[in-house]
Amino acid sequence: MKALFVLLLAQLCSASLVPEREKDPEYWRRQAQETLRNALRLQRLNQNVAKNLILFLGDGMGISTVTAARILKGQLQHGQGEESLLEMDKFPFVALAKTYNTNAQVPDSAGTATAYLCGVKANEGTLGVSAAVTRDRCNTTKGQEVTSILRWAKEAGKAVGIVTTTRVTHATPSAAYAHSANRDWYSDGEMPPDALEGGCKDIARQLVENIPEIEVILGGGRKYMYPKNVSDVEYPQEEKQRGTRLDGRNLVQAWQEAKPRSKVAEYVWHRRGLLALNLSRVDFLLGESLHPRVPWHQQCALGGPPSCPEVLGLLQWPVTLPRQALHEAVELDRAIGLATRLTSTQDTLSVVTADHSHVFTFGGYTPRGNPIFGLAPMQSDVDRKPFTSILYGNGPGYKIVAGERENVSAVDFAHADYQAQSAVPLRQETHGGEDVAVFARGPMAHLLHGVHEQNYIPHAMAYAACIGSNRGHCNAAARPATPLLLPFLGLLLLLLC
């Protein structure tokens, strides 16, 4: 009876939270009719040639994360949350992408990055190569390299950029420029002797050499650019942040020296340095922070890396830290809104998607407006303990106290660093295997619809912009000149991890 009483109480509270306007059936009818009118307008398809392409990629941003982030956004604006709209929710075309790798049901970020950037599915752990390449085997790479939409755009005369909140050599962004049998070969210091002897290049070196004229590169992981044991410019006393390269090269210097003398190439390692630049006078920009996996709110309080929210927006996915993950999803939403205001849907195709999901879930029959990081209104009918609405399928949040599940009432589950409980104990939480959403707006956005293989995404984007190999539908007169639009360029990959 006690459990029944708690459930009835929750239902009564929920009823009292219904906004007055939503009690009127006409409210819902008017809303549906307006939605119908908007849908009918989409029959007039935008078939312009896309002058700009913007790809926002939330690493691990599954549909459950999108929904929870929407609620958080609304609650931060003092609403109940569920009725809120993310910027991506306003995109008129939505598809689902199947994320499996060629050899993995639940994918990793390297194989998926190869799919949504290079248009080819690949094995887990491999970057910018076909499925003929076996992870760790350098000698299987030659001749199996595949190129990315970034290269297609560059070859078409576009300005291109990569902005990421992880290291620029991380799997998610590096498929844009690198070809590697192992996603972890950040510098030659992380490569085995047989790979070095086989002539394979580390990812940081490929960043500098493979496509030398990428106009904008912002991210982290600068230690992979410097010789082994060279002290970090910002944290000289921290040994773990010292350079890792065995070849003795300074790749930042190599990046600058490779630029034409008539061009201005700027390197920054801190947000203050970035904001001090006159970007109208900069031709090439490389910005690398120490490592942007410090939560965004802490980075900005400390002065921040080059990719703080004030510039382009941040997103990362801390392991089973739901408060940090969702706040950063809201920051991604801010960046999407900024891009929308700076561009026109008449000439800019914007796509928002994820590489894969995580085992993130929320439930528990929470009432309308329940704090997204709060407790469910019921206790477990097995162990008689409360639980938060957000939980994980596996991960380090699995905790047993005195032989029983930890009582969350005894801990600060509202803390930013609280690890949500998980069902299976693992040191690191895993990816999820379900489809992810693809939101699209702008020229040819209607090509992203229904359920697609993930590798279809860059082909649709390239078709819209008349770049790459599929250009039979384009005529020379319709092709636009290279745009000069900052901070969003001809092709901008916001690979937010």
Side-chain angles (χ1 to χ4, degrees):
M1 287 299 293
K2 183 178 179 182
L4 178 61
F5 171 77
V6 170
L7 179 59
L8 288 173
L9 179 63
Q11 291 173 337
L12 289 172
C13 291
S14 178
S16 68
L17 292 173
V18 177
E20 274 307 308
R21 65 181 184 180
E22 294 184 13
K23 296 177 183 178
D24 182 357
E26 280 305 308
Y27 167 80
W28 297 107
R29 293 178 184 132
R30 286 193 299 271
Q31 184 193 71
Q33 289 300 314
E34 178 62 24
T35 303
L36 178 60
R37 286 191 291 273
N38 290 336
L40 289 170
R41 293 189 192 105
L42 296 179
Q43 293 181 99
R44 300 191 294 272
L45 298 177
N46 180 349
Q47 300 188 61
N48 297 341
V49 173
K51 184 171 69 173
N52 305 303
L53 300 175
I54 304 176
L55 174 62
F56 290 92
L57 192 286
D59 195 322
M61 190 177 69
I63 292 176
S64 58
T65 299
V66 172
T67 306
R70 177 191 305 132
I71 293 172
L72 174 61
K73 178 183 178 180
Q75 293 181 350
L76 290 172
Q77 296 172 342
H78 310 294
Q80 291 176 305
E82 297 82 5
E83 71 291 342
S84 180
L85 283 175
L86 293 168
E87 295 295 332
M88 68 187 85
D89 293 337
K90 302 172 187 177
F91 283 31
F93 296 96
V94 182
L96 292 175
K98 297 190 286 182
T99 63
Y100 67 92
N101 297 151
T102 46
N103 65 341
Q105 187 178 74
V106 177
D108 95 309
S109 297
T112 53
T114 304
Y116 62 75
L117 290 177
C118 302
V120 173
K121 286 222 171 191
N123 292 329
E124 60 86 25
T126 64
L127 284 166
V129 291
S130 76
V133 174
T134 304
R135 185 171 187 170
D136 294 324
R137 291 181 60 186
C138 168
N139 62 359
T140 64
T141 306
K142 189 174 181 180
Q144 298 301 325
E145 299 88 350
V146 293
T147 57
S148 74
I149 189 171
L150 185 140
R151 183 180 286 276
W152 309 341
K154 195 69 208 172
E155 290 174 349
K158 297 281 189 179
V160 298
I162 301 171
V163 179
T164 178
T165 61
T166 186
R167 62 179 73 92
V168 293
T169 51
H170 183 273
T172 304
S174 61
Y177 59 84
H179 315 284
S180 180
N182 190 312
R183 57 175 287 177
D184 297 326
W185 291 350
Y186 306 123
S187 77
D188 58 350
E190 284 74 41
M191 295 177 67
D194 66 302
L196 293 173
E197 293 165 5
C200 284
K201 296 180 181 179
D202 63 87
I203 296 169
R205 181 179 170 188
Q206 292 187 61
L207 172 66
V208 173
E209 296 180 355
N210 284 7
I211 310 177
E213 294 191 351
I214 300 173
E215 278 79 2
V216 175
I217 303 169
L218 293 175
R222 61 180 173 242
K223 68 179 182 179
Y224 304 111
M225 308 288 280
Y226 291 99
K228 189 172 179 63
N229 292 326
V230 168
S231 296
D232 183 74
V233 64
E234 190 174 11
Y235 301 100
Q237 305 306 317
E238 295 191 18
E239 291 188 17
K240 66 178 182 179
Q241 305 304 341
R242 292 178 179 174
T244 65
R245 302 199 63 78
L246 301 179
D247 58 10
R249 296 184 67 190
N250 179 329
L251 291 184
V252 172
Q253 183 179 337
W255 173 84
Q256 291 176 315
E257 291 175 349
K259 303 298 177 289
R261 290 182 178 274
S262 60
K263 301 293 185 180
V264 177
E266 293 282 359
Y267 171 71
V268 294
W269 52 268
H270 201 277
R271 173 173 162 262
R272 287 191 297 268
L274 177 63
L275 297 181
L277 292 175
N278 182 345
L279 293 178
S280 66
R281 299 180 179 178
V282 176
D283 298 296
F284 297 97
L285 174 62
L286 172 62
E288 288 187 302
S289 65
L290 175 66
H291 197 319
R293 282 206 176 274
V294 178
W296 67 266
H297 55 281
Q298 293 179 26
Q299 290 183 350
C300 292
L302 295 171
S307 52
C308 250
E310 291 90 340
V311 184
L312 287 173
L314 286 174
L315 178 65
Q316 66 178 34
W317 301 102
V319 178
T320 68
L321 301 176
R323 182 172 289 270
Q324 293 185 26
L326 294 187
H327 273 282
E328 287 152 5
V330 173
E331 289 301 304
L332 170 63
D333 190 61
R334 286 177 55 196
I336 296 168
L338 175 61
T340 299
R341 292 190 295 274
L342 289 174
T343 59
S344 167
T345 56
Q346 293 305 303
D347 65 8
T348 300
L349 173 62
S350 298
V351 176
V352 182
T353 189
D355 50 351
H356 53 75
S357 71
H358 279 275
V359 288
F360 170 102
T361 185
F362 72 102
Y365 299 112
T366 47
R368 177 75 177 271
N370 197 70
I372 192 61
F373 303 116
L375 296 174
M378 56 193 291
Q379 294 182 344
S380 164
D381 58 4
V382 177
D383 65 12
R384 305 298 176 183
K385 290 185 174 66
F387 59 94
T388 55
S389 62
I390 292 177
L391 299 167
Y392 285 81
N394 55 52
Y398 179 92
K399 291 183 176 64
I400 297 297
V401 177
E404 298 182 348
R405 180 173 67 92
E406 181 181 56
N407 189 331
V408 295
S409 296
V411 299
D412 183 7
F413 58 82
H415 193 277
D417 295 327
Y418 171 71
Q419 284 188 322
Q421 291 185 343
S422 56
V424 176
L426 287 177
R427 289 187 178 89
Q428 290 188 327
E429 169 257 7
T430 73
H431 294 173
E434 70 270 21
D435 298 349
V436 296
V438 185
F439 304 86
R441 163 189 267 169
M444 296 292 181
H446 55 278
L447 297 179
L448 291 160
H449 68 286
V451 181
H452 301 297
E453 294 287 358
Q454 192 172 36
N455 67 291
Y456 170 72
I457 295 171
H459 292 285
M461 295 180 71
Y463 183 94
C466 289
I467 62 175
S469 59
N470 187 6
R471 292 182 288 180
H473 62 292
C474 306
N475 74 56
R479 297 207 42 180
T482 302
L484 183 60
L485 179 64
L486 291 173
F488 298 98
L489 303 173
L491 172 69
L492 181 61
L493 306 176
L494 278 170
L495 306 168
L496 303 158
C497 311

